[in-house]
Amino acid sequence: MIAGKNEYSIQHKIRTVALLPCVNRFREIDFFPYHPGNPDWIATKNQSGGNFREAYTTFVQELIEITDALSVICHCSFSLLGTTYLVHKLNTGSQPFFAHVAEIEPTGTVSVFLQRYIQDLEKLTSADCKVALHFLRESNN
């Protein structure tokens, strides 16, 4: 934990039609299936921040870059809009903060994200093409 900062556990649902058969870890974020029979994913990470909003915003900014690349790799929609998230402060006995917003259906062809795509994900998220990836994800949505 960083001095003067709080530590939060954040979980965010990702709406997609890409199947995730097993848990994957990328840049300290765990991605796992939402539940059997539903292609949505959950991304979870411990994130430091001065308050829950700062920690959540930092996490979501990182997650947007990753979902941009995932959309290109899997050729389908990946969206954080209209999804639920949970923020829990870890360094005190606070209650978790939970938010739920309206449902939005994903679009695109059904794809399966396999472990071997982690290398592709690393290449795309490391490249200097963030705007292009974001445009491609938006066109998939």
Side-chain angles (χ1 to χ4, degrees), residues 60-72 76 78-81 124-125 127-141:
V60 168
Q61 288 172 343
E62 183 178 10
L63 203 51
I64 287 170
E65 289 183 7
I66 294 169
T67 57
D68 287 347
L70 284 168
S71 181
V72 172
C76 65
F78 277 81
S79 181
L80 303 177
L81 296 174
L124 285 173
T125 56
D128 189 24
C129 60
K130 305 289 191 257
V131 173
L133 289 176
H134 186 72
F135 172 78
L136 288 169
R137 180 177 63 86
E138 287 299 316
S139 68
N140 282 334
N141 289 335

Side-chain angles (χ1 to χ4, degrees), residues 80-121:
L80 303 177
L81 296 174
T83 60
T84 56
Y85 62 90
L86 176 71
V87 180
H88 188 260
K89 191 173 181 182
L90 297 175
N91 51 327
T92 66
S94 70
Q95 294 294 315
F97 176 82
F98 173 78
H100 175 77
V101 290
E103 296 289 324
I104 298 172
E105 291 299 318
T107 60
T109 59
V110 175
S111 183
V112 178
F113 186 80
L114 303 172
Q115 181 66 33
R116 67 176 184 254
Y117 295 146
I118 291 288
Q119 292 174 341
D120 295 334
L121 190 58

Side-chain angles (χ1 to χ4, degrees), residues 20-38:
L20 182 65
C22 61
V23 175
N24 284 280
R25 186 171 181 83
F26 182 73
R27 295 189 179 168
E28 299 181 13
I29 300 175
D30 292 316
F31 295 90
F32 54 94
Y34 181 64
H35 67 75
N38 184 326

